[in-house]
């Protein structure tokens, strides 16, 4: 709790590009949660070092993510928004938590296995330790709720186990975080393979719409979207995943419900659905793209905002870390 408000914490790795799917699913949720809770959001730039990054691109991308989050409506005056690497308490708490985590616990994580298979030439210790760093992120802020996708549930489970383990060995120190599963926020699928989630790291550029794509790119991607061989618009996730995905997107960006959209497209073909959907997305993203264009040029503002976010985060994080250092018996400095 901060004051009388519960704490929400989440983070995103600055890899790939922020997609329309992230915006409709996760980011919209972050903005809503910021109204009700004390919200702390991080760019998890240490996590993404577990796979090789090109330094100059990586720096640029992390800053771009930061600006895009603000452009989307994460207000740095309402939420604490910062870079993980600016708050050294994350790595400090990770070390302590490492000493309470069994190798079996991290080596059996699905993501560790997947990433080890994908990067067989670079199965580094960081990859194994990834979920412990994530636990440190969450536990440092005495987090009550963590909005995450289903793919991160296992990691969150480990954070809970570590919090409970530490609390039982010493005295209550960490709030045990709960996953925050949102009721709304539609799931958006790839435009090229509508049975797969729209992923920010998809290598097929036509599969995803980035928040900062140009209107021309967006229109082209929707025109090429995979549909099916029927010639009528209806919502049927199983048999017509491509068309259903377009309807979901159109519904999310216009606020109209799916039924009324299906009626609107009665007797019309896929070409029309694609172009209406593309145009609606262009309009929805226009203000974000314009605001992003302004922010990314304003380095001074971004630097100041990141500094202020990190200072606020450090203030909270250090309180938890000092407690932990004391409890495990380190000499006070
Ligand atoms: N591992 C998360 C992901 O890939 C990102 C992340 C890092 C995170 N630290 C976190 C999410 C803390 C929630 C809370 O999506």
């Amino acid at each position: 709790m901060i004051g009388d408000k519960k704490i929400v914490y989440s983070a995103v790795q600055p890899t790939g590009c922020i997609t329309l799917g992230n915006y409709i699913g996760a980011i919209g949720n972050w903005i809503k949660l910021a109204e009700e809770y004390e919200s702390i959001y991080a760019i998890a730039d240490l996590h993404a070092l577990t796979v090789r990054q090109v330094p100059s691109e990586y720096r640029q991308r992390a800053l771009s993510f930061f600006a895009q989050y603000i452009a989307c409506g994460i207000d740095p005056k309402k939420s604490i928004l910062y870079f993980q690497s600016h708050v050294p308490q994350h790595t400090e708490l990770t070390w302590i938590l490492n000493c309470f985590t069994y190798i079996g616990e991290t080596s059996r994580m699905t993501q560790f296995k997947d990433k080890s298979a994908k990067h067989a030439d670079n199965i580094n210790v960081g990859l194994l330790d990834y979920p412990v760093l994530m636990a440190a992120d969450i536990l440092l802020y005495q987090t009550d709720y963590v909005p995450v996708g289903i793919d991160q549930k296992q990691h969150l489970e480990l954070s809970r186990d570590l919090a409970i383990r530490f609390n039982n060995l010493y005295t209550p120190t960490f709030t045990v975080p709960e996953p925050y599963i949102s009721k709304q926020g539609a799931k958006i699928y790839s435009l090229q393979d509508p049975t797969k989630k729209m992923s920010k790291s998809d290598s097929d550029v036509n599969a995803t719409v980035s928040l900062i794509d140009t209107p021309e790119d967006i229109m082209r991607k929707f025109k090429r979207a995979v549909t099916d061989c029927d010639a009528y618009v209806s919502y049927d996730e199983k048999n017509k995943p491509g068309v259903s995905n377009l309807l979901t997107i159109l519904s999310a960006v216009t606020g109209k419900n799916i039924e009324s959209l299906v009626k609107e497209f009665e007797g019309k073909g896929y070409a029309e659905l694609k172009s209406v959907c593309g145009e609606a997305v262009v309009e929805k993203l226009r203000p974000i793209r314009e605001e992003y264009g302004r922010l990314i040029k304003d380095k001074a503002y971004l630097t100041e905002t990141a500094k202020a976010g990190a200072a606020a985060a450090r203030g909270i994080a250090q309180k938890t870390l000092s407690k932990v250092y004391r409890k495990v018996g380190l000499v006070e400095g």
Side-chain angles (χ1 to χ4, degrees):
M1 302 277 259
I2 297 182
D4 59 353
K5 283 190 172 172
K6 295 215 171 188
I7 299 169
V8 160
Y9 185 96
S10 202
V12 67
Q13 293 191 73
T15 52
C17 64
I18 305 177
T19 71
L20 180 65
N22 299 133
Y23 178 66
I24 291 171
I27 303 176
N29 218 0
W30 285 20
I31 295 168
K32 262 205 329 259
L33 290 170
E35 299 293 329
E36 199 179 328
Y37 300 101
E38 203 60 57
S39 52
I40 308 174
Y41 299 133
I43 305 291
D45 52 357
L46 295 173
H47 271 109
L49 290 180
T50 51
V51 298
R52 275 306 151 256
Q53 307 290 345
V54 178
S56 55
E57 279 173 20
Y58 189 51
R59 188 173 294 117
Q60 198 46 44
R61 174 163 294 136
L63 198 63
S64 170
F65 267 52
F66 188 76
Q68 285 180 65
Y69 274 86
I70 299 173
C72 282
I74 305 282
D75 180 350
K77 292 201 190 75
K78 280 194 196 142
S79 304
I80 296 178
L81 181 65
Y82 71 101
F83 290 94
Q84 184 187 34
S85 64
H86 293 180
V87 180
Q89 287 82 356
H90 288 252
T91 44
E92 294 174 301
L93 182 60
T94 299
W95 175 254
I96 304 289
L97 293 178
N98 275 338
C99 302
F100 294 84
T101 309
Y102 304 109
I103 290 185
E105 286 179 300
T106 53
S107 60
R108 87 169 85 88
M109 292 282 151
T110 311
Q111 189 172 302
F112 173 68
K113 290 187 200 156
D114 289 351
K115 286 203 179 165
S116 304
K118 211 168 143 196
H119 305 279
D121 56 338
N122 183 20
I123 306 176
N124 58 68
V125 175
L127 215 49
L128 182 67
D129 208 25
Y130 181 110
V132 183
L133 177 59
M134 180 162 158
D137 296 346
I138 296 167
L139 300 183
L140 271 178
Y141 299 93
Q142 305 294 346
T143 301
D144 294 285
Y145 300 117
V146 186
V148 279
I150 190 83
D151 62 321
Q152 294 298 313
K153 259 195 95 178
Q154 207 182 22
H155 288 165
L156 190 55
E157 212 37 63
L158 179 70
S159 306
R160 289 172 52 84
D161 290 347
L162 291 177
I164 294 168
R165 185 171 305 158
F166 194 96
N167 289 349
N168 286 342
L169 276 169
Y170 301 94
T171 48
T173 308
F174 297 118
T175 301
V176 180
E178 307 268 349
Y180 185 94
I181 310 293
S182 73
K183 282 146 233 110
Q184 68 144 56
K187 190 165 173 191
I188 306 300
Y189 294 88
S190 154
L191 295 181
Q192 288 300 311
D193 177 358
T195 59
K196 260 184 15 194
K197 198 177 107 176
M198 185 180 280
S199 159
K200 70 205 238 293
S201 49
D202 201 313
S203 56
D204 180 352
V205 292
N206 289 320
T208 59
V209 173
S210 154
L211 290 190
I212 51 175
D213 274 347
T214 63
E216 296 72 35
D217 282 339
I218 295 174
M219 291 309 291
R220 179 177 46 81
K221 290 178 183 183
F222 277 98
K223 285 211 171 98
R224 292 194 185 168
V226 167
T227 48
D228 54 54
C229 309
D230 305 337
Y232 61 94
V233 174
S234 78
Y235 190 85
D236 178 347
E237 277 177 54
K238 196 154 164 265
N239 299 308
K240 296 168 78 69
V243 172
S244 302
N245 189 36
L246 293 176
L247 286 167
T248 305
I249 292 173
L250 189 55
S251 163
V253 298
T254 60
K256 293 183 188 172
N257 67 35
I258 303 242
E259 274 159 52
S260 74
L261 288 173
V262 170
K263 269 212 193 90
E264 235 175 79
F265 282 93
E266 231 169 78
K268 294 179 182 161
Y270 292 163
E272 183 148 358
L273 174 64
K274 289 177 182 181
S275 74
V276 170
C277 195
E279 276 159 22
V281 170
V282 166
E283 285 320 309
K284 184 77 185 175
L285 296 185
R286 189 185 300 283
I288 296 173
R289 198 168 140 254
E290 286 175 358
E291 178 63 7
Y292 170 77
R294 271 190 293 280
L295 288 172
I296 201 66
K297 282 194 233 117
D298 193 347
K299 287 274 156 23
Y301 170 79
L302 293 177
T303 307
E304 274 315 301
T305 307
K307 268 196 185 156
R314 277 195 300 266
I316 305 171
Q318 186 54 44
K319 276 199 195 134
T320 302
L321 187 70
S322 300
K323 250 203 246 174
V324 169
Y325 273 19
R326 212 173 331 111
K327 294 209 184 185
V328 297
L330 296 175
V331 175
E332 262 175 72

